[in-house]
Amino acid sequence: MIGGSLAAALRQADAVGRFTGFDRDRERGARAQTLGIVDDLAVDPSDAVAGADLVILAVPVRANQMVCAAIAETLAPSALVTDVGSTKFEVVAAAEAELPDASRFCGAHPLAGSERSGPDAANRDLFRGRLCILTPTARTAAATLAACQALWQAVGARVICMDAARHDAALAWVSHLPHAVAFALAAAVGAVADEVSGLSGGGFADTTRVAASDVTMWRDVFLANRAGLLAALDGLGDELAALRRAVHDGDAAAIETLIGRANAGRRRVMG
Amino acid sequence: MIGGSLAAALRQADAVGRFTGFDRDRERGARAQTLGIVDDLAVDPSDAVAGADLVILAVPVRANQMVCAAIAETLAPSALVTDVGSTKFEVVAAAEAELPDASRFCGAHPLAGSERSGPDAANRDLFRGRLCILTPTARTAAATLAACQALWQAVGARVICMDAARHDAALAWVSHLPHAVAFALAAAVGAVADEVSGLSGGGFADTTRVAASDVTMWRDVFLANRAGLLAALDGLGDELAALRRAVHDGDAAAIETLIGRANAGRRRVMG
């Protein structure tokens, strides 16, 4: 979805020439070609990047290391390499370790997307008005950063730069934790599905929307940001324990306080 | 929101004559009159129901007992009384205990609404195509149930009947638990708002949408369904503990299994 959306958006912006795609899943690759998202299909990552000016890695975050190693030999020295992963510290470290010229890589995370995945979910307007976080390091060339900024601005994103570790610590709270919570909630309610089927409304639908997300993508996000996610899970655990205690004790004032803090917290986070 | 939406929907369906409103908050009552949702404003609940054929209780669930006691003297013997509360067991017991004729009461819970509240959020199409659960008891007259069914069908709802205790046990999972989780999540992330402000996307927004809900309404729901909510919180707690352990241990297979169960669980619950 993200890779396809970026390809479609760059084409729409007339910012690229010919696109070569590679997907581990051949059917998905063929579908992207049928939809006109990519012009050509490569047989492997190494073949895909041969002669490319720009390489976009749009794979589950833990696959980036393998892909970077696989493309290192055929990558043109002048090629710009970037990614779209939801975690950054491990991805950036892997790319800088595996690619022949770390100065030509810059990590990127567009805050866009949904629970959907695959080329049929691609949307060339996906990044319009959305934030894209770049995570350059001391090794990133200024020209690489500038090119990466121009790329995301061309598809309508607002670009900011951030340290990769800080990115992961922050996104653990506002993205990885909500996904973890939605997964746990959907799994817990799913266990009593026979008793509640047909009785759910908008609250359940929205609170668990992201629980329909891709297994491999989110398995990798959780594994690549273990410390950040564990800290966020513990913060949530404290709130849930306090709420459970208040409900158990019939403590109206404590429940009101927690809901009031939730109202205010959501407003502060969403700005 | 729910009371105002029902009044507006019944008027649109030409199912009622003149509407008298009462709201503990005088400004909110006046606003409902300005918006044309109610024709007249009463000075207290007792005044509001005098001479009424139909009485709709749309108050925080734990306020129903007091309101039923307050209207008992002026209520016409032939008046139909119903409510719109998110919990049913305690509300039905209170209404049957306090009202002069329990056979003329039937509990109702329309599965509609949102995080908004107050007359400005009223919408006459709110119930169209939505489920409304009625919870008649052995004391409910057949004519009362029939009138209540006709009322909700007139505003476009699909009506089903259910035992009040079973309703509360089921709604604990698909409605009260998602609200509890959203409140805890918004409060937890709100505690680190300075570090994450501006970085949240659609995942956080949707997962916490209902965390913007009214404090008093949800305090009462939680207190009126303590046993149901505690059971659901414990079910969620087990899933969160398993996920935390899997993330802590870097157990990819366990994470995949949980996300897979979340994907499937959501589909089963939403049908």
Side-chain angles (χ1 to χ4, degrees):
Chain A
M1 177 187 193
I2 300 293
S5 295
L6 184 54
L10 286 170
R11 195 190 297 281
Q12 168 75 4
D14 215 11
V16 293
R18 208 161 173 82
F19 247 112
T20 300
F22 172 76
D23 197 301
R24 191 173 59 148
D25 179 333
R26 276 163 193 253
E27 274 183 40
R28 209 156 46 188
R31 182 69 186 148
Q33 192 174 28
T34 301
L35 291 169
I37 292 172
V38 297
D39 302 295
D40 307 301
L41 283 180
V43 297
D44 59 37
S46 163
D47 175 38
V49 306
D53 303 306
L54 167 68
V55 174
I56 298 163
L57 309 172
V59 297
V61 287
R62 297 211 119 186
N64 281 294
Q65 175 154 33
M66 194 173 61
V67 174
C68 285
I71 66 175
E73 262 194 43
T74 53
L75 195 66
S78 61
L80 175 72
V81 182
T82 185
D83 81 308
V84 297
S86 299
T87 68
K88 295 268 66 79
F89 189 80
E90 206 183 84
V91 172
V92 171
E96 292 192 341
E98 300 291 348
L99 294 175
D101 182 359
S103 78
R104 296 291 292 154
F105 174 83
C106 184
H109 176 205
L111 301 192
S114 75
E115 73 283 10
R116 299 182 63 202
S117 55
D120 284 292
N123 162 18
R124 68 187 185 194
D125 295 318
L126 188 66
F127 308 109
R128 205 156 291 288
R130 308 302 290 269
L131 195 67
C132 182
I133 302 170
L134 303 185
T135 57
T137 70
R139 297 174 72 182
T140 312
T144 300
L145 175 59
C148 213
Q149 280 172 321
L151 184 154
W152 286 102
Q153 281 163 354
V155 300
R158 293 177 295 117
V159 177
I160 62 168
C161 290
M162 196 182 290
D163 172 72
R166 219 203 112 210
H167 167 279
D168 288 3
L171 272 288
W173 290 93
V174 287
S175 173
H176 312 164
L177 179 63
H179 279 80
V181 163
F183 290 135
L185 178 59
V189 181
V192 296
D194 290 344
E195 290 129 78
V196 302
S197 181
L199 299 176
S200 68
F204 179 80
D206 280 5
T207 311
T208 61
R209 178 182 61 81
V210 298
S213 299
D214 184 64
V215 172
T216 307
M217 173 181 166
W218 283 96
R219 175 205 65 193
D220 269 19
V221 169
F222 289 178
L223 290 172
N225 193 18
R226 284 166 60 196
L229 180 55
L230 288 173
L233 279 169
D234 289 343
L236 174 78
D238 290 345
E239 295 290 350
L240 279 172
L243 178 59
R244 193 194 186 288
R245 197 160 47 240
V247 171
H248 179 272
D249 296 347
D251 185 342
I255 295 172
E256 282 175 34
T257 301
L258 194 143
I259 298 178
R261 283 200 299 114
N263 289 172
R266 185 172 195 269
R267 279 195 303 270
R268 284 185 66 204
V269 170
M270 297 188 61
Chain B
M1 178 187 193
I2 299 294
S5 295
L6 184 53
L10 286 170
R11 194 189 298 279
Q12 168 76 3
D14 216 12
V16 293
R18 207 163 173 80
F19 248 112
T20 300
F22 172 75
D23 198 300
R24 191 173 59 149
D25 179 333
R26 276 161 193 256
E27 273 183 40
R28 209 155 44 188
R31 181 70 185 148
Q33 192 174 28
T34 300
L35 292 170
I37 292 170
V38 296
D39 301 295
D40 307 301
L41 282 180
V43 297
D44 58 38
S46 163
D47 176 36
V49 307
D53 304 307
L54 166 67
V55 174
I56 297 162
L57 310 171
V59 297
V61 287
R62 297 213 118 186
N64 281 294
Q65 175 153 35
M66 193 174 61
V67 174
C68 286
I71 66 175
E73 263 194 43
T74 54
L75 195 66
S78 62
L80 174 73
V81 183
T82 186
D83 81 306
V84 296
S86 298
T87 69
K88 295 269 63 80
F89 188 81
E90 207 184 82
V91 171
V92 171
E96 293 193 339
E98 300 291 348
L99 294 175
D101 181 0
S103 78
R104 295 292 290 153
F105 175 83
C106 184
H109 176 205
L111 301 192
S114 74
E115 73 283 10
R116 299 182 63 201
S117 55
D120 284 293
N123 163 17
R124 67 188 185 194
D125 294 317
L126 187 66
F127 308 109
R128 205 157 291 286
R130 308 302 290 269
L131 195 68
C132 181
I133 302 170
L134 302 186
T135 58
T137 71
R139 298 174 72 181
T140 312
T144 300
L145 176 58
C148 213
Q149 280 172 322
L151 184 153
W152 286 102
Q153 282 163 354
V155 300
R158 293 176 296 118
V159 177
I160 62 168
C161 289
M162 194 182 291
D163 172 72
R166 218 203 113 209
H167 166 280
D168 288 3
L171 271 289
W173 290 94
V174 288
S175 173
H176 312 163
L177 179 63
H179 279 80
V181 164
F183 290 135
L185 178 59
V189 182
V192 296
D194 289 344
E195 290 129 78
V196 302
S197 181
L199 299 177
S200 68
F204 179 81
D206 280 4
T207 310
T208 61
R209 177 181 61 81
V210 298
S213 298
D214 183 65
V215 172
T216 307
M217 173 182 166
W218 284 95
R219 174 205 66 192
D220 269 20
V221 169
F222 289 177
L223 290 173
N225 193 18
R226 285 167 58 195
L229 180 55
L230 288 173
L233 279 170
D234 289 343
L236 174 78
D238 290 345
E239 294 290 351
L240 278 173
L243 179 59
R244 192 194 187 289
R245 196 160 47 240
V247 171
H248 179 271
D249 296 347
D251 186 342
I255 295 172
E256 282 174 33
T257 301
L258 194 142
I259 298 177
R261 284 200 301 114
N263 289 172
R266 184 172 195 269
R267 279 195 302 270
R268 285 185 66 203
V269 171
M270 296 188 63

